Amino acid sequence: MHTTSVTGRVSEVTATALAASPALAASSPRDRADLLHRLAQVLQEHRDELVSVADRETHIGAARLGGEVDRTRFQLTAFADVVTDGAYLDVVVDRPIAGPPPAGRPDIRRMLTPLGPVGVFAASNFPFAFSVLGGDTASALAAGCPVVVKAHEGHPELSELTCALAADVLPDGALSLVTGRDAGRALVVDPNITAVGFTGSGAGGRALFDLATGREDPIPFYGELGSVNPAVVTPAAVAARGEEVAKAFVASFTLGSGQLCTKPGLLFLPAGHGLDEVLRLAVAEVAPRLLLGAWIREGYLASVGELARRNDVREIVPLPGGTEDAVAPSLFTMSASALREGPVAECFGPSAVVVEYESDEDLLAALATLPASLAVSVHGEAEEELAFKVFRAVQTGRVVWNGWPTGVSVTAAMHHGGPWPATTAPLHTSVGATAINRWLRPMAYQDVPDVLLPPPLRRDNPWHVPRRVDGEWSRRPA
Amino acid sequence: MHTTSVTGRVSEVTATALAASPALAASSPRDRADLLHRLAQVLQEHRDELVSVADRETHIGAARLGGEVDRTRFQLTAFADVVTDGAYLDVVVDRPIAGPPPAGRPDIRRMLTPLGPVGVFAASNFPFAFSVLGGDTASALAAGCPVVVKAHEGHPELSELTCALAADVLPDGALSLVTGRDAGRALVVDPNITAVGFTGSGAGGRALFDLATGREDPIPFYGELGSVNPAVVTPAAVAARGEEVAKAFVASFTLGSGQLCTKPGLLFLPAGHGLDEVLRLAVAEVAPRLLLGAWIREGYLASVGELARRNDVREIVPLPGGTEDAVAPSLFTMSASALREGPVAECFGPSAVVVEYESDEDLLAALATLPASLAVSVHGEAEEELAFKVFRAVQTGRVVWNGWPTGVSVTAAMHHGGPWPATTAPLHTSVGATAINRWLRPMAYQDVPDVLLPPPLRRDNPWHVPRRVDGEWSRRPA
């Protein structure tokens, strides 16, 4: 009877979220922004305690975790700014035109409106920025949607603590927590849940996507599933600054012990690059570290073991590395043609593969076989025709020039997404201002008098939101 | 071997679409707009011939079909305007900020980019506006996506003629046609197809949605499935203008012989409204007409027959009506409590049900049991508290005040969508300027030099598109 009781408990939680929905949806931009600022404040006030619990549960290290708290606060206040600005409501006002259709029309006013309670699946590798008060929660609360978080098993105490602290400054039902896989599945199929955000593995994300789309009433499922994130170095870039690029690559793929969905898993170098020794020395300088948990360590060791057993793969750094529990980074190399024959899957942990290409054609053919990635990096010289071709050959949500995909900026223009299998929803991002779009749907009001309209659509525009009125942007009455 | 040969033929067609994709995606706003204007021109030049073929195949009538051609031309030119304006690209430019993250950031520029070849399922009831050159096709071509249309079996000759005329003014592969149900299914699962638009029945839409989401690489499926579209008349409105409202209701639910997804299928009137005779007379004035095809007529007769057999439903207009092939409108009535006990499904054809409510509570309770609709109409007086409550009780994509849901205006602010079961994608519309969003996904460019950027993101903004630069809208260089 375990499943029944979990479902019962989840449905109680989502009922609370549903009850909180109308007031949250109707709250003014000021109230919504205040709420997000208060959450950022709570994180700051309890920063030391939170970091200490998180480090004990995840082994990420206090310095990185402190930076992650700062990023999470930044995300919350950034969404407060998004709400205050009001452009996210995407208001369009078409005033009436006399005469028969199609040119003639009634008064039509459109805005985005919150979907209702949403489910958010926390990630293992960002216990703050992609967890209880992470970007999914911040964007959903900013949109006016109550959130039910499915805690990650990797940091249960931190999840409970964060949720309890947040509950003190939030309306009842605006944020709740459920734990365990059964509860997670029950959450996705719960009738009160209108959409789900997820950050995690491809297999887990696909299983939950299938549940969400298989419902009697299907709901949107925004899964960010990670990817191999190829980085390409052109021959000209190797000639100009090969050593610098190689060292920076090692720093990027070992950042956070490689437990990042933006880790550059493949580095394409021209054959004869002569950088093996530089790479080996750079990797040797990275100290072995504990990974997020035993299940990650096991997956990592299995994955690198499998690579090491391939005849067409050579170790640049000899395996095994690391101490009993901690793991050292690993680095392999193979030819582009071998990659075309036998793909390399994403490996969660400090591992990467240098792929050597013989020619532009060899490189482009190998890139064309890769599944879509969250980010693709290209190191080259701007004038090169090859760079254009690489841009065209890859499928991705973000291209990075002469830089690395790790360290995703939280800005209005950021896109952290991409076609399947990078995500389950190619039109959406889980980082940046437009992440709020996932929790909103359009509503049109036809010939509705002011007294019955939501404030952003009223003639006097009391919240001063930017609106497209008869095709022109304005914050003025209309 | 029938399925195999269909799949082979469909994959040939989608390969042609894929080949056309890069050039269409890279085309300038002027070229894209020209293409849409040429399609509108073709419809105008062949208007008489097209209307004649369409009327023979659909029995909709030359006058209505002529209006539909006008609407379809209007849609094509409206999307030409959308492309020329450039706001649809949703460009965001965040210029670099020095310093460490989260406040420090690189240069990030984001825009929307076409998904690739898309599939469009034509509808039976709008042989122009929701078919080969309808809104789905217009918005997808405007976005820069080649289109493969699955023709509707109800007007095959018109579909072939329209596609052939369009092919004369389009690049190779930009628009193709496939026919038959097997080809439709093959289209949805074809690896070259990146998204699908559909207008049709709930059962058909759900089956194709399941195919699209069940793919190894799931793709977005935008299904517009129709709905019952309740219309509510408050006691105050009955007192002020009950007869006028009743007559207008009959005109709306019999428009196009009720074969519209926006048909108001339920009219909520306060018990004791005294409008039965007015309704009966108004219905009697509507001449019997041929429906779109025998399969629609059979579905309609089965549906009204089922209603007539219900003990809790009374005929306002006696059944059967109409001549041998043509059908007359039918009108039923039932109590709100009966509706709560036994729901009334959408009936495609000239049929509607008057639902009598005893009190505000009775009305709101009945409305709360209804599935989401494309549109909800409310006839009332603006000051009424009841109107607020009705707005809050219903789930819909559009509310219409003192008007009717039929006759969807093609404007920037229009939203023709809603939560399941009105559509499979609550964030999207199939009518209006924002219908273009369905075929576009974001791409971010980080620190990419001008020479490698698409024109809308270059510092000199050569296409003069509106861009949000560091939070401010501008068409200036940045």
Side-chain angles (χ1 to χ4, degrees), chain A residues 251 283 285 317 319 370:
Chain A
V283 169
E285 281 178 27
V317 180
L319 284 180
L370 295 180

Side-chain angles (χ1 to χ4, degrees), chain B residues 120-257:
Chain B
V120 164
F121 282 70
S124 64
N125 57 343
F126 282 97
F128 295 106
F130 288 83
S131 286
V132 176
L133 287 182
D136 284 348
T137 298
S139 56
L141 290 176
C145 297
V147 176
V148 180
V149 176
K150 191 283 190 171
H152 197 280
E153 290 75 9
H155 44 85
E157 193 184 328
L158 178 68
S159 302
E160 294 282 357
L161 174 60
T162 310
C163 190
L165 292 171
D168 285 345
V169 298
L170 287 175
D172 277 352
L175 183 69
S176 324
L177 198 68
V178 298
T179 57
R181 292 198 170 202
D182 288 346
R185 282 188 288 264
L187 183 62
V188 174
V189 299
D190 187 282
N192 291 331
I193 292 297
T194 59
V196 172
F198 171 91
T199 308
S201 73
R206 177 72 203 225
L208 295 174
F209 170 84
D210 288 343
L211 283 182
T213 54
R215 285 167 59 128
E216 195 183 332
D217 56 335
I219 57 170
F221 183 87
Y222 308 109
E224 193 264 85
L225 311 180
S227 55
V228 294
N229 306 307
V232 174
V233 191
T234 69
V238 170
R241 49 200 154 84
E243 200 170 315
E244 177 197 328
V245 170
K247 288 176 180 168
F249 167 67
V250 173
S252 181
F253 93 77
T254 61
L255 185 68
S257 297

Side-chain angles (χ1 to χ4, degrees), chain A residues 9 25 44 122 145 186 215 294 356-357 408 441 455 464:
Chain A
R9 152 116 173 89
Q44 179 62 9
C145 296
R215 286 168 59 128
E356 297 183 340
Y357 60 89
V408 180
R441 67 179 180 89
H464 305 288

Side-chain angles (χ1 to χ4, degrees), chain A residues 179-256:
Chain A
T179 56
R181 292 197 170 203
D182 288 346
R185 283 187 287 264
L187 184 62
V188 173
V189 298
D190 188 282
N192 291 331
I193 293 297
T194 58
V196 171
F198 171 91
T199 309
S201 73
R206 177 71 205 226
L208 295 174
F209 170 85
D210 289 343
L211 283 181
T213 54
R215 286 168 59 128
E216 196 181 331
D217 57 335
I219 58 171
F221 183 87
Y222 308 110
E224 191 265 84
L225 310 181
S227 55
V228 293
N229 306 307
V232 174
V233 191
T234 68
V238 170
R241 49 200 153 82
E243 201 172 314
E244 177 197 329
V245 170
K247 288 177 179 170
F249 167 66
V250 173
S252 181
F253 93 76
T254 61
L255 185 69

